[in-house]
Each structure stands twice: as C-alpha cells, then as structure tokens.
Amino acid sequence: RTVNGLAATTVDWYGWLLRRYARWVEREHHQSDWTEMETVEAYIADCRKELRPVSVSSTYTTLNVFFAWLAKRKVINGQPNPYLKLSNPMDDIPMARPPRSKPRVTEVEDYDKLQSSIADMPHKTWVDLRDLLAIRVLYLCGLRAFEVVGLEARDFKLDADVLIVRSGKGGDDRP
C-alpha cells in the first residue's frame, strides 16, 4: 500500500501521528477548535515535552500536509462544519528544524569483535552462519537492517560480485 509514492511504513507513521493528534484533541477537550492555530500550537508544545526533535518535526510536517489537504478540498475554507473556520492553521506556525545529528558509525574494532564472536564458535549452526552473514552485509555494504532482513538467496549475484537490494528505503531496488 503506497500513497503518492510513499512506503506503507511511512503512510502508517503519518496515520499514527494524526491519530495521536486526534486523541490529544479529545483528551484536552478541543473538539470545537481542532483547526485553530492556538490548538495546534498547544499540541506541538506538548509534543516537544514528550518527543525527540525529529519526531516533533514529523508531527509538524504531517499536520501541515493534512491541513493543506483539507483546505485544498475546501473542507476548512468551504465551512461545511461550523467549527472549521480557518485555512491551514499551520501557515502561521513556524517550523523548528531538528538539529542534524551525525550518523552513528560502528568502529572497526567493534565489528571485528562481533563477527569473530560468531566466526570463532567451534560448532556453528545455520542460524550462526546466517547471523554472521547479516552482520557482514550490514557493516560492509552499509545496508539498513530492514534491507538485510528482506534479502533472499536470489539477491546475491556471486559471479558478478553484486548484491541486489529490493524495496529499499523509498521502495527502490538498487544493486
């Protein structure tokens, strides 16, 4: 399931963020003013207390897209509901960008310790060998964990020294 080229997991994440907003609106008794800028600002302020900056940014983006979608369909501007009186309330709420963090890099020594803890086992099972291969592919190829989990035997082109990643981030296949 994709929407506008977004992966299903991304669509699920946006849905979860919107449901979280709906629960907050209900819990804080804002049903009559859920499209008001002040209500959205209060919600984002609450999110800043509970969530990491990157999740607050995702919340902002999700609400912005959602309210723009409603405004485009004239659900807000067309006022089919007396409580829907504004255009996109996000238009006047500045977005605070999360600080860019450097990716965590596994040190070579840590990789060596981990892989040798399996490679040096006297009686390896097929699960041990699978795990060793997964660790090596993660580290040496720089794949994401979900990409490694999705690999199949047909993705390893040993004669050409190529590994095909199917449905990677963004749903793209890549060698």
Side-chain angles (χ1 to χ4, degrees), residues 19-173:
R19 287 188 300 278
R20 188 176 194 276
Y21 178 63
R23 286 190 305 271
W24 180 88
V25 164
E26 189 174 311
R27 185 177 67 243
E28 299 296 322
H29 308 290
H30 288 287
Q31 290 94 334
S32 63
D33 62 354
W34 66 276
T35 64
E36 299 285 336
M37 183 181 73
E38 293 79 13
T39 300
V40 178
E41 282 181 316
Y43 175 67
I44 291 174
D46 276 1
C47 288
R48 285 192 176 102
K49 296 174 193 172
E50 301 172 18
L51 303 175
R52 294 187 339 229
V54 70
S55 296
V56 174
S57 179
S58 292
T59 297
Y60 177 94
T61 301
T62 300
L63 290 173
N64 190 27
V65 169
F66 174 67
F67 284 119
W69 180 83
L70 290 175
K72 182 178 179 182
R73 283 155 183 76
K74 307 215 181 298
V75 173
I76 293 174
N77 292 336
Q79 307 221 358
N81 181 320
Y83 299 119
L84 301 176
K85 43 189 173 259
L86 291 179
S87 60
N88 186 346
M90 304 302 288
D91 289 343
D92 296 317
I93 301 174
M95 179 179 171
R97 298 240 179 241
R100 297 287 267 173
S101 60
K102 292 183 178 180
R104 293 182 302 186
V105 177
T106 302
E107 298 297 328
V108 175
E109 295 81 20
D110 294 332
Y111 164 73
D112 286 341
K113 282 182 200 174
L114 183 59
Q115 69 134 3
S116 65
S117 72
I118 298 172
D120 296 343
M121 293 172 72
H123 304 289
K124 289 183 269 310
T125 67
W126 73 268
V127 173
D128 298 327
L129 295 173
R130 178 205 61 194
D131 293 349
L132 182 60
L133 177 62
I135 290 165
R136 288 178 175 170
V137 169
L138 276 167
Y139 186 77
L140 298 173
C141 297
L143 298 185
R144 295 169 179 87
F146 83 90
E147 293 171 332
V148 172
V149 170
L151 290 174
E152 299 175 5
R154 66 186 174 110
D155 299 328
F156 292 86
K157 308 296 182 199
L158 300 177
D159 55 338
D161 289 334
V162 173
L163 174 63
I164 306 293
V165 178
R166 299 180 197 283
S167 299
K169 186 171 182 180
D172 296 331
D173 292 353

